[in-house]
Amino acid sequence: MSMFKGERGRGEDVDLVIQQLEEAVEILQLPETAFYLLSTPEREVRTRITIKMDNGEPAVFPAYRILWNSACGPGKGGLRFHPEETVGMIRKLAALMSWKTAVVGLPLGGAKGGVKCDVKRLSVSEKERICRQYVRRFYDVLGPRLDVPAPDVYVDSRMIGWMLDEYELRNGGKEPGVITGKPLELGGSSARFEATARGGVYVLRAAARRLGVELEGKTVAIQGYGNAGGHFHRLAEEILGLKIVAVSDSSGAIYNSHGLSASEIGQCKAETGSVIHWREADQMANWELLELDVDVLVPAALGDVITMENAESIKASMVLELANGPTTREADKILAERNITVLPDMLSSAGGVTVSYFEQVQNASNYYWPKKKVLTLLDQKMCEGLEKLMKMADKHGVDNRMAAYLVAVQKVYQAMVLRGWL
Ligand code: GLU
């Protein structure tokens, strides 16, 4: 692997996924050029967005879109609007998207984008100006057959609606498949808003069945209460009968051994802005939630929260990763040694992109499916993904994360070979 090693920046977030990729490439005994193609982006566009704030002052925001690999199809992946955004983080997540789409067998590649900005401090009209300008800046690299964005951290369906509108104004015709996660009225898919959480529920259910574990009444701690964590709370109660005893958001965590109801916590979050204002619970720090004695731990916020420092203290017997990249490689190894079942992000958080794919299929045919059909097909895709992963884990005697890498890397590698790239 030495020949190309010097070409990447050092100490970046992307390094972690590259290390894991390197292990996968070695296990599969792929050639060095394959590693090079898999470990570097196909295209990176970096620019900045300049808008006038409501008070008339100019403001500048760095903006990115990175297409990691398109061997299996057009780039696909969300847009993050985060105050700490870095190009290294977008690279890491663009790579992860390439493996995620491959694990669930979608005819798509992987990409990611974002704007470094603090959405919580922007007015609605400032947000709209940033969204519209993002599309104008990246117009040439976006398209249903090129690269298709979607929501991610701090990007919601309303923002997606503005971006669709801006693209179509410039394009001159309707092109709903250029972006997913749209509001239903603009060509969105039913169940897309809760798809990440639902995908996680289906993976957990299928994994528990395989392990012979009865989920009803089991305890859960959910870290993060955004789109993934909030909907997971409700669906895990409704579909699996799980007892959610702890939840958190960026302000802190709460715990009640008798359980927390999704409707009450959802209402509290909507009305007060945070779950921590729920009175019938004890408050705790976010790190304490991760170490609670529960059956299932669900990291559903940002990356790198289960690390070498706390992996020994995790007490859950299953970790369902709804966030992108919540566990570091060192932590992964510790969890595996301690026989904790990790259901890795590449599969567990793939419900969102899977329904995004269904959304594009519906857009292309201009025919919209009933929710039941979307849910049945989503369940099927998630179960197929889990089966492939488990088979790979058995075949190579590796942990679940490495098995997911092997499934993904093998698929993308084959697509590259068939295209004549290798
Ligand atoms: N942002 C989501 C993810 O990380 C969804 C991506 C998509 O729908 O394209 O998987």
Side-chain angles (χ1 to χ4, degrees):
M1 304 299 164
S2 54
M3 183 167 127
F4 300 112
K5 245 188 168 162
E7 293 196 14
R8 288 190 319 270
R10 290 215 148 262
E12 282 188 0
D13 293 297
V14 72
D15 283 353
L16 168 70
V17 289
I18 302 300
Q19 281 162 22
Q20 294 173 329
L21 176 70
E22 198 162 357
E23 272 181 59
V25 165
E26 265 158 29
I27 294 173
L28 294 170
Q29 299 184 329
L30 305 185
E32 194 173 337
T33 33
F35 174 69
Y36 179 69
L37 290 183
L38 293 164
S39 64
T40 49
E42 224 170 285
R43 178 177 60 217
E44 286 193 358
V45 186
R46 294 200 222 178
T47 181
R48 69 265 189 292
I49 286 173
T50 54
I51 63 158
K52 292 276 166 16
M53 302 299 273
D54 291 347
N55 63 7
E57 289 295 318
V60 182
F61 305 95
Y64 313 93
R65 186 71 187 173
I66 297 178
L67 174 66
W68 195 266
N69 193 295
S70 71
C72 296
K76 189 80 196 79
L79 293 175
R80 293 163 40 101
F81 279 27
H82 195 275
E84 308 297 331
E85 202 54 272
T86 63
V87 70
M89 179 57 77
I90 307 262
R91 282 185 188 137
K92 166 180 163 177
L93 297 170
L96 271 179
M97 280 311 300
S98 313
W99 322 141
K100 205 190 267 197
T101 52
V103 166
V104 273
L106 306 178
L108 298 169
K112 203 85 180 190
V115 178
K116 185 171 163 60
C117 65
D118 189 352
V119 171
K120 289 183 182 163
R121 299 173 68 168
L122 296 169
S123 71
V124 172
S125 59
E126 287 163 350
K127 255 195 297 193
E128 179 171 354
R129 287 198 287 282
I130 294 178
C131 287
R132 289 187 179 278
Q133 196 176 128
Y134 186 92
V135 171
R136 292 201 294 278
R137 292 273 182 199
F138 293 90
Y139 181 81
D140 289 341
V141 295
L142 301 180
R145 294 195 222 166
L146 284 176
D147 184 356
V148 183
D152 204 292
V153 174
Y154 294 128
V155 172
D156 59 20
S157 62
R158 189 170 185 205
M159 293 155 79
I160 295 291
W162 295 324
M163 291 195 244
L164 171 70
D165 187 60
E166 193 64 34
Y167 186 90
E168 291 180 338
L169 284 171
R170 167 97 191 253
N171 185 58
K174 298 300 175 205
E175 198 69 270
V178 70
I179 196 160
T180 60
K182 298 179 288 291
L184 286 179
E185 296 81 350
L186 302 183
S189 174
S190 69
R192 176 62 186 86
F193 72 100
E194 58 176 32
T196 306
R198 221 176 237 284
V201 165
Y202 293 158
V203 169
L204 183 60
R205 179 167 68 183
R209 257 188 225 136
R210 252 182 160 268
L211 295 165
V213 172
E214 175 54 65
L215 287 174
E216 176 102 39
K218 289 275 186 310
T219 55
V220 183
I222 306 173
Q223 190 233 6
Y225 219 76
N227 179 274
H231 290 302
F232 182 82
H233 187 170
R234 177 175 55 83
L235 294 169
E237 262 178 18
E238 257 172 49
I239 302 174
L240 306 175
L242 286 164
K243 183 160 119 185
I244 286 64
V245 293
V247 298
S248 73
D249 59 25
S250 54
S251 307
I254 54 168
Y255 173 77
N256 183 334
S257 61
H258 300 295
L260 299 161
S261 120
S263 59
E264 288 172 345
I265 303 297
Q267 197 180 347
C268 171
K269 171 102 178 155
E271 282 169 6
T272 69
S274 173
V275 298
I276 60 163
H277 299 120
W278 181 245
R279 287 174 192 278
E280 290 159 44
D282 298 326
Q283 297 218 0
M284 57 171 61
N286 250 309
W287 66 264
E288 286 178 286
L289 175 143
L290 296 168
E291 299 179 8
L292 277 173
D293 191 2
V294 289
D295 298 301
V296 186
L297 174 64
V298 184
L302 299 173
D304 296 339
V305 291
I306 305 180
T307 64
M308 230 158 67
E309 272 75 60
N310 62 3
E312 289 287 357
S313 315
I314 303 289
K315 295 178 194 68
S317 50
M318 290 176 110
V319 176
L320 177 76
E321 295 183 342
L322 289 189
N324 285 314
T327 310
T328 66
R329 187 67 191 140
E330 297 79 17
D332 239 349
K333 293 194 167 145
I334 300 173
L335 298 182
E337 273 162 25
R338 298 183 55 222
N339 275 329
I340 296 176
T341 304
V342 176
L343 298 166
D345 53 355
M346 260 183 261
L347 174 66
S348 305
S349 75
V353 72
T354 302
V355 176
S356 275
Y357 164 62
F358 297 157
E359 184 174 329
Q360 282 197 293
V361 173
Q362 295 169 76
N363 294 151
S365 58
N366 202 16
Y367 179 78
Y368 290 84
W369 307 343
K371 183 169 180 182
K372 201 161 168 245
K373 175 167 173 172
V374 175
L375 300 187
T376 307
L377 292 177
L378 174 63
D379 195 6
Q380 204 175 311
K381 280 273 178 217
M382 302 311 285
C383 289
E384 283 167 11
L386 183 73
E387 282 310 307
K388 278 188 275 180
L389 190 152
M390 293 295 179
K391 271 201 194 120
M392 197 57 106
D394 285 347
K395 183 172 170 195
H396 290 280
V398 292
D399 62 43
N400 288 348
R401 174 147 1 251
M402 191 42 62
Y405 263 94
L406 296 179
V407 171
V409 165
Q410 196 166 51
K411 179 171 185 239
V412 178
Y413 171 69
Q414 272 161 4
M416 294 196 301
V417 170
L418 290 168
R419 283 180 183 279
W421 294 0
L422 284 164

